[in-house]
Every structure is written in structure tokens, then in C-alpha cells.
Amino acid sequence: MLDAHLMNTVVAAALAEDAPAGDITSTLVIPADAHATAVLAAREPGILAGAEVFAAAFTLTDPSVHVELLRHDGEAFAAGDELARVNGPARAVLTGERVALNFAQRMSGIATLTRQYVDAIAGTNAVILDTRKTTPTLRAFERHAVVCGGGTNHRFSLSDAFMAKDNHLAVLTGGGLDLTAALQRVKSQLPHGMVFEVEVDRIDQIEPVLAGGVDVIMLDNFSLDDLRAGVAQIAGRAKIEASGGVNLTTVAAIAATGVDYVSVGALTHSARALDLGLDVRIS
């Protein structure tokens, strides 16, 4: 998902945003021949994500900057651990610092939060999924971070899978069209192999949706009792995704109802940036 071309394109745009006419402060304060070394250090425990993105922020600023990654994406670390070392022209190191940290802190925060959700449902058969509730233009970065934390990516975009939610169904059946018939018609038009998922918010919608031939049925904002009843009613005829009302307090009980997936928007829309620091020394 996070290929080199995409990564470099986005990081270059971030650098251009941060220093559109160069880094005035570093240019005026730091001698052109000054060399700097810096250490990326963890100020709290977490899961690393965005190590290559961190490095790219420096090498795209100046290709002569060398970044040594001491930990890799998906690895756990403790407070005080060194995660990377940076060596190169001091101006370039200082210019790239903020963008590098922004990406590493944001992505590691997502990975760390995801790992908390994955750990919370250990012992169940459920899988933690992310959603499309991502920062515009940064979806590949944020969903890469979800995988680093042990989560699984849902559809990447509106082009990847058929997923009808409540508003789609309202329009689809607004003219009095039978829900099952409407879904069967849609299924006949889907590209071969494309996932066919439909959201329901009431138990009485389950049978008509199943009859439409769905692969996955999303039970949205169901109570725990209704989730258990829905799992029993579906009885393996489709995969089951639970969504709505999911947080670290509720996720274990939701997963224990027997659903296959639990989708969590908070992984990407509410993760806080992890506290990482870059300590720079001029030599």
C-alpha cells in the first residue's frame, strides 16, 4: 500500500509546505559546513510505524543525509529507546526534522492504538478493521500504520468493494423497490470476485439482505444482545462485521459475540501522536 513513489510524493509535498522558500532560520543561524547528528528517541512506549517515511523526510531534503533505522515498523519499544540515528549537513537535518517527526509520531500513534485494540480482543476469532475515516491524502500512510499495529485494512477506497450503508439503502428502496430484489440486481452487475457488503441497523433487515446474496453483513450500532442474536440468525451464511459504539472499553465484549470483524474508526480519526523526540547535536 505504501510504495516508494507514493511515499516520496507525499513527503516531498509536506516538505514544500513546511519550507516553500527554504528554511530561513537554519540558513541564517547554521554555518553551511556544519554537520549534525541526531537521535530519534521514544519518550513513551509504543509500536513503531513510519520508519521509512521518517528517513525519507531527511533524504528528500538532502540526499547526503544518512539515516540509520534501529527499529523497524511493527516493532514495540520502551520509553528511552533509540529508534533511529541521523547524520548529515546540519541545515538539512534541522529543515527535515519537523516533517519527519510529524509522520513518525502520527503513524506510531495509530500503530500503538491499534495494538491496544488487537490485544483487547485476544482469545476471540474477531479481526480488527480500520475504516475510511482517515486524513485526506494520508490514507495509505495511516492504514499502513494500522497494519503495523496488528490490524487489518478494510476496503481502501470506494472503488475497491461494494458496501451499501443506510443512506444507500434509503435511496435504493425509496421508490418502493424490494430490498432483496434490489440487492440481487446489484450482485449480478458486480465485477467477479468483488466483495459484496451491506449494512443493517435492525434485526428485521438481516433476512432480506442475506437473501440478496451478500458476502458480508455489517451490524451497525447493535446492542450486545442483538449482536449475539444476529450471529445466531446469520449462522455462517455471511461474514459478520460489527461497527458503531466501539472503543477500548467495549471492543472485547463486541468481539466475544462471535462476529468476524470489528471495524474501528477511532484507529485513524482519534489516535493521538506518540511522544517521540529528535535530539540534535551540531558537530
Side-chain angles (χ1 to χ4, degrees), residues 239-255:
K239 293 291 186 180
I240 304 168
E241 177 181 341
S243 70
V246 184
N247 55 52
L248 283 170
T249 303
T250 63
V251 68
I254 291 171

Side-chain angles (χ1 to χ4, degrees), residues 29-108:
V29 172
I30 306 299
D33 60 352
H35 185 89
T37 61
V39 174
L40 177 65
R43 293 172 178 165
E44 62 178 313
I47 305 297
L48 184 61
E52 296 289 346
V53 182
F54 173 84
F58 293 106
T59 56
L60 290 174
T61 300
D62 185 332
S64 69
V65 176
H66 174 71
V67 180
E68 178 187 6
L69 299 177
L70 306 176
R71 296 292 181 89
H72 299 284
D73 283 2
E75 290 188 38
F77 54 80
D81 284 354
E82 293 187 358
L83 309 178
R85 295 193 185 101
V86 183
N87 293 278
R91 288 181 179 179
V93 172
L94 292 168
T95 299
E97 172 188 8
R98 185 70 267 157
V99 169
L101 279 175
N102 283 348
F103 279 115
Q105 289 179 303
R106 170 68 177 156
M107 294 176 70
S108 295

Side-chain angles (χ1 to χ4, degrees), residues 97-228:
E97 172 188 8
R98 185 70 267 157
V99 169
L101 279 175
N102 283 348
F103 279 115
Q105 289 179 303
R106 170 68 177 156
M107 294 176 70
S108 295
I110 291 171
T112 301
L113 180 60
T114 301
R115 182 66 58 86
Q116 292 172 359
Y117 274 90
V118 170
D119 289 346
I121 67 167
T124 73
N125 292 320
V127 171
I128 295 294
L129 297 178
D130 56 16
T131 72
R132 287 171 41 248
K133 297 175 182 178
T134 55
T135 307
T137 74
L138 296 182
R139 180 169 296 168
F141 289 69
E142 295 178 349
R143 301 188 86 173
H144 171 80
V146 167
V147 173
C148 292
T152 299
N153 297 143
H154 209 303
R155 60 175 178 163
F156 185 79
S157 72
L158 294 173
S159 303
D160 297 339
F162 178 94
M163 183 175 173
K165 306 194 79 174
D166 53 354
N167 288 335
H168 295 99
L169 298 185
V171 174
L172 189 63
T173 60
L177 185 64
D178 176 74
L179 177 57
T180 298
L183 292 176
Q184 288 174 337
R185 184 186 66 190
V186 167
K187 186 176 178 66
S188 70
Q189 298 172 348
L190 286 178
H192 178 72
M194 178 171 282
V195 173
F196 186 28
E197 179 170 1
V198 174
E199 173 191 275
V200 302
D201 52 24
R202 304 189 315 272
I203 283 184
D204 66 339
Q205 295 175 308
I206 290 177
E207 287 302 331
V209 167
L210 287 174
V214 298
D215 302 306
V216 183
I217 186 166
M218 178 190 289
L219 307 183
D220 187 48
N221 284 304
F222 274 43
S223 68
L224 292 176
D225 286 341
D226 284 348
L227 281 174
R228 284 187 282 267

